[in-house]
Amino acid sequence: MTTFDAILCDLDGVLRQFDHAVQADIEARYGLPLASTAFDPALIMPATLGHITEAQWAESIVAALGGGEQAEKAVEEFMAVPFRVDEEVRALLAAARARMPLVLVTNAMDTLEDHLERLELTAFADAVVSSARVGLAKPDRRIYELAADLAGVAPARCLFVDDRLENVVAARALGMTGVHFRSVADLAAVLPPS
Protein backbone atom coordinates (compact mmCIF):
# COMPACT_ATOMS: atom_id res chain seq x y z
CA MET A 1 0.00 0.00 0.00
CA THR A 2 1.38 3.41 -0.96
CA THR A 3 1.78 6.01 1.75
CA PHE A 4 1.39 8.97 -0.60
CA ASP A 5 -1.17 10.55 -2.91
CA ALA A 6 1.10 12.95 -4.83
CA ILE A 7 4.68 13.08 -6.07
CA LEU A 8 6.90 16.11 -5.58
CA CYS A 9 10.04 15.66 -7.68
CA ASP A 10 13.26 17.57 -8.18
CA LEU A 11 14.37 18.36 -11.72
CA ASP A 12 18.18 18.56 -11.84
CA GLY A 13 19.98 15.37 -10.94
CA VAL A 14 16.75 13.37 -11.15
CA LEU A 15 14.72 14.05 -14.28
CA ARG A 16 17.30 16.27 -16.00
CA GLN A 17 20.94 15.22 -16.23
CA PHE A 18 23.92 17.37 -17.24
CA ASP A 19 27.03 16.03 -19.00
CA HIS A 20 29.54 16.19 -16.15
CA ALA A 21 32.36 14.88 -18.38
CA VAL A 22 31.96 17.95 -20.59
CA GLN A 23 32.00 20.19 -17.50
CA ALA A 24 35.21 18.54 -16.27
CA ASP A 25 36.80 18.91 -19.72
CA ILE A 26 36.03 22.64 -19.79
CA GLU A 27 37.55 23.09 -16.33
CA ALA A 28 40.67 21.16 -17.35
CA ARG A 29 41.15 23.07 -20.61
CA TYR A 30 40.85 26.47 -19.00
CA GLY A 31 42.45 25.55 -15.68
CA LEU A 32 39.68 27.33 -13.79
CA PRO A 33 37.53 26.11 -10.85
CA LEU A 34 34.28 26.68 -12.73
CA ALA A 35 31.93 24.36 -10.85
CA SER A 36 33.04 25.28 -7.33
CA THR A 37 32.87 28.96 -8.23
CA ALA A 38 29.52 28.76 -10.05
CA PHE A 39 27.86 26.78 -7.27
CA ASP A 40 29.28 28.81 -4.40
CA PRO A 41 26.12 29.70 -2.42
CA ALA A 42 27.10 33.38 -2.36
CA LEU A 43 26.95 33.44 -6.16
CA ILE A 44 24.18 30.99 -7.00
CA MET A 45 21.59 31.77 -4.32
CA PRO A 46 20.65 35.23 -5.64
CA ALA A 47 19.85 33.65 -9.03
CA THR A 48 18.10 30.68 -7.41
CA LEU A 49 15.86 33.03 -5.46
CA GLY A 50 15.09 35.15 -8.52
CA HIS A 51 16.98 38.23 -7.32
CA ILE A 52 19.22 38.20 -10.41
CA THR A 53 18.95 36.56 -13.83
CA GLU A 54 20.93 33.58 -15.08
CA ALA A 55 22.89 36.00 -17.30
CA GLN A 56 23.80 38.11 -14.27
CA TRP A 57 24.84 34.94 -12.42
CA ALA A 58 27.17 34.11 -15.33
CA GLU A 59 28.66 37.60 -15.11
CA SER A 60 29.25 37.12 -11.38
CA ILE A 61 31.11 33.86 -12.09
CA VAL A 62 33.35 35.62 -14.62
CA ALA A 63 34.10 38.35 -12.08
CA ALA A 64 34.83 35.81 -9.33
CA LEU A 65 37.28 34.06 -11.66
CA GLY A 66 39.17 37.32 -12.13
CA GLY A 67 37.47 38.57 -15.28
CA GLY A 68 39.10 38.75 -18.69
CA GLU A 69 38.54 37.01 -22.00
CA GLN A 70 39.62 33.55 -20.81
CA ALA A 71 37.16 33.58 -17.91
CA GLU A 72 34.39 34.86 -20.20
CA LYS A 73 34.97 32.06 -22.75
CA ALA A 74 35.18 29.40 -20.03
CA VAL A 75 31.94 30.52 -18.40
CA GLU A 76 30.19 30.76 -21.78
CA GLU A 77 31.15 27.14 -22.52
CA PHE A 78 30.23 26.03 -19.00
CA MET A 79 26.77 27.61 -19.30
CA ALA A 80 26.21 25.79 -22.60
CA VAL A 81 26.96 22.27 -21.27
CA PRO A 82 24.39 19.88 -22.77
CA PHE A 83 21.58 18.46 -20.68
CA ARG A 84 19.02 15.75 -21.34
CA VAL A 85 16.01 14.01 -19.85
CA ASP A 86 16.58 10.69 -18.12
CA GLU A 87 14.05 8.67 -20.13
CA GLU A 88 13.71 5.93 -17.50
CA VAL A 89 12.82 8.51 -14.85
CA ARG A 90 10.43 10.22 -17.28
CA ALA A 91 8.64 6.93 -17.96
CA LEU A 92 8.30 6.08 -14.25
CA LEU A 93 6.97 9.53 -13.38
CA ALA A 94 4.59 9.60 -16.34
CA ALA A 95 3.11 6.25 -15.31
CA ALA A 96 2.71 7.44 -11.72
CA ARG A 97 1.15 10.73 -12.86
CA ALA A 98 -1.66 8.74 -14.47
CA ARG A 99 -2.69 7.84 -10.88
CA MET A 100 -1.74 10.93 -8.84
CA PRO A 101 -0.59 14.54 -9.19
CA LEU A 102 3.05 15.24 -10.07
CA VAL A 103 4.68 18.55 -9.12
CA LEU A 104 8.23 19.47 -10.10
CA VAL A 105 9.98 21.32 -7.24
CA THR A 106 13.24 22.81 -8.37
CA ASN A 107 15.87 25.28 -7.28
CA ALA A 108 16.02 26.97 -10.67
CA MET A 109 16.65 30.27 -12.40
CA ASP A 110 14.69 32.61 -14.65
CA THR A 111 15.48 30.39 -17.65
CA LEU A 112 13.62 27.32 -16.31
CA GLU A 113 10.58 27.67 -18.58
CA ASP A 114 12.83 27.83 -21.66
CA HIS A 115 14.74 24.77 -20.48
CA LEU A 116 11.53 22.80 -19.88
CA GLU A 117 10.42 23.67 -23.40
CA ARG A 118 13.74 22.49 -24.85
CA LEU A 119 13.36 19.22 -22.92
CA GLU A 120 9.72 18.84 -24.05
CA LEU A 121 8.64 18.87 -20.39
CA THR A 122 6.43 21.98 -20.45
CA ALA A 123 3.22 20.00 -19.81
CA PHE A 124 4.87 17.00 -18.17
CA ALA A 125 3.81 17.79 -14.58
CA ASP A 126 0.59 19.09 -13.06
CA ALA A 127 2.53 22.08 -11.67
CA VAL A 128 6.06 23.43 -11.45
CA VAL A 129 7.42 25.21 -8.38
CA SER A 130 10.51 27.18 -9.40
CA SER A 131 12.53 28.77 -6.63
CA ALA A 132 13.28 31.77 -8.86
CA ARG A 133 9.56 32.41 -9.33
CA VAL A 134 8.42 31.90 -5.73
CA GLY A 135 11.45 33.38 -3.96
CA LEU A 136 11.94 30.26 -1.84
CA ALA A 137 14.52 27.52 -2.26
CA LYS A 138 14.88 23.99 -0.96
CA PRO A 139 15.41 23.08 1.85
CA ASP A 140 13.11 25.93 3.06
CA ARG A 141 10.00 24.17 4.40
CA ARG A 142 7.73 26.74 2.73
CA ILE A 143 8.60 25.59 -0.79
CA TYR A 144 7.55 22.02 0.13
CA GLU A 145 4.31 23.28 1.65
CA LEU A 146 3.60 25.32 -1.47
CA ALA A 147 4.21 22.30 -3.69
CA ALA A 148 1.95 20.08 -1.57
CA ASP A 149 -0.75 22.74 -1.72
CA LEU A 150 -0.51 22.86 -5.52
CA ALA A 151 -0.83 19.06 -5.57
CA GLY A 152 -3.93 19.36 -3.39
CA VAL A 153 -2.49 16.92 -0.87
CA ALA A 154 -1.37 17.24 2.76
CA PRO A 155 2.44 17.18 3.12
CA ALA A 156 2.27 13.88 5.01
CA ARG A 157 0.66 12.29 1.93
CA CYS A 158 3.42 13.39 -0.48
CA LEU A 159 6.36 11.48 -1.89
CA PHE A 160 9.37 13.78 -2.29
CA VAL A 161 12.28 12.80 -4.59
CA ASP A 162 15.58 14.68 -4.75
CA ASP A 163 19.24 13.92 -5.42
CA ARG A 164 20.38 16.15 -2.54
CA LEU A 165 20.09 14.47 0.86
CA GLU A 166 19.57 17.74 2.78
CA ASN A 167 16.46 18.42 0.68
CA VAL A 168 15.11 14.94 1.39
CA VAL A 169 15.76 15.34 5.13
CA ALA A 170 13.80 18.62 5.11
CA ALA A 171 10.87 16.92 3.35
CA ARG A 172 10.87 14.07 5.86
CA ALA A 173 10.76 16.63 8.68
CA LEU A 174 7.37 17.70 7.26
CA GLY A 175 6.13 14.11 7.33
CA MET A 176 6.70 13.42 3.63
CA THR A 177 7.96 10.11 2.31
CA GLY A 178 11.46 11.08 1.17
CA VAL A 179 13.55 9.32 -1.46
CA HIS A 180 17.22 10.19 -1.88
CA PHE A 181 17.70 9.69 -5.62
CA ARG A 182 21.03 8.21 -6.67
CA SER A 183 19.78 6.02 -9.52
CA VAL A 184 16.52 5.16 -11.25
CA ALA A 185 16.29 2.07 -9.03
CA ASP A 186 15.72 4.33 -5.98
CA LEU A 187 12.62 5.77 -7.65
CA ALA A 188 11.38 2.48 -9.09
CA ALA A 189 11.55 0.86 -5.65
CA VAL A 190 9.04 3.28 -4.10
CA LEU A 191 6.58 3.86 -6.93
CA PRO A 192 3.59 1.51 -7.11
CA PRO A 193 3.56 -0.82 -10.12
CA SER A 194 1.52 0.56 -13.03
Side-chain angles (χ1 to χ4, degrees):
M1 181 178 113
T2 59
T3 57
F4 49 87
D5 301 310
I7 301 169
L8 312 181
C9 186
D10 181 32
L11 178 66
D12 294 332
V14 180
L15 184 56
R16 172 167 69 170
Q17 301 294 336
F18 286 84
D19 193 326
H20 297 297
V22 172
Q23 288 177 329
D25 176 66
I26 296 166
E27 284 202 336
R29 281 190 289 108
Y30 285 96
L32 292 170
L34 287 159
S36 62
T37 303
F39 299 113
D40 179 332
L43 294 188
I44 198 168
M45 284 311 292
T48 301
L49 291 171
H51 300 156
I52 63 172
T53 65
E54 184 181 271
Q56 290 169 318
W57 173 57
E59 290 168 8
S60 74
I61 301 167
V62 171
L65 292 170
E69 189 178 344
Q70 182 180 357
E72 285 179 12
K73 286 183 176 177
V75 171
E76 185 178 335
E77 282 189 45
F78 190 78
M79 299 294 284
V81 166
F83 52 78
R84 63 175 179 79
V85 172
D86 183 315
E87 294 299 340
E88 287 182 275
V89 172
R90 184 204 303 250
L92 282 171
L93 291 174
R97 185 185 175 206
R99 300 185 302 279
M100 65 185 70
L102 169 66
V103 177
L104 296 180
V105 188
T106 178
N107 284 357
M109 298 185 190
D110 66 313
T111 51
L112 176 65
E113 293 81 4
D114 175 59
H115 289 193
L116 290 176
E117 190 172 323
R118 286 166 54 192
L119 292 165
E120 299 182 356
L121 291 175
T122 300
F124 179 70
D126 295 287
V128 176
V129 179
S130 165
S131 63
R133 299 297 180 209
V134 300
L136 302 166
K138 296 175 293 185
D140 187 320
R141 68 177 288 135
R142 295 172 295 172
I143 197 168
Y144 301 89
E145 291 166 342
L146 176 59
D149 190 50
L150 286 171
V153 174
R157 298 297 303 169
C158 292
L159 170 70
F160 177 80
V161 183
D162 201 293
D163 64 317
R164 297 182 67 88
L165 183 57
E166 63 267 30
N167 295 339
V168 175
V169 169
R172 289 176 180 156
L174 289 172
M176 294 182 179
T177 300
V179 172
H180 182 204
F181 183 94
R182 287 146 300 188
S183 73
V184 70
D186 296 317
L187 183 60
V190 74
L191 290 179
S194 48

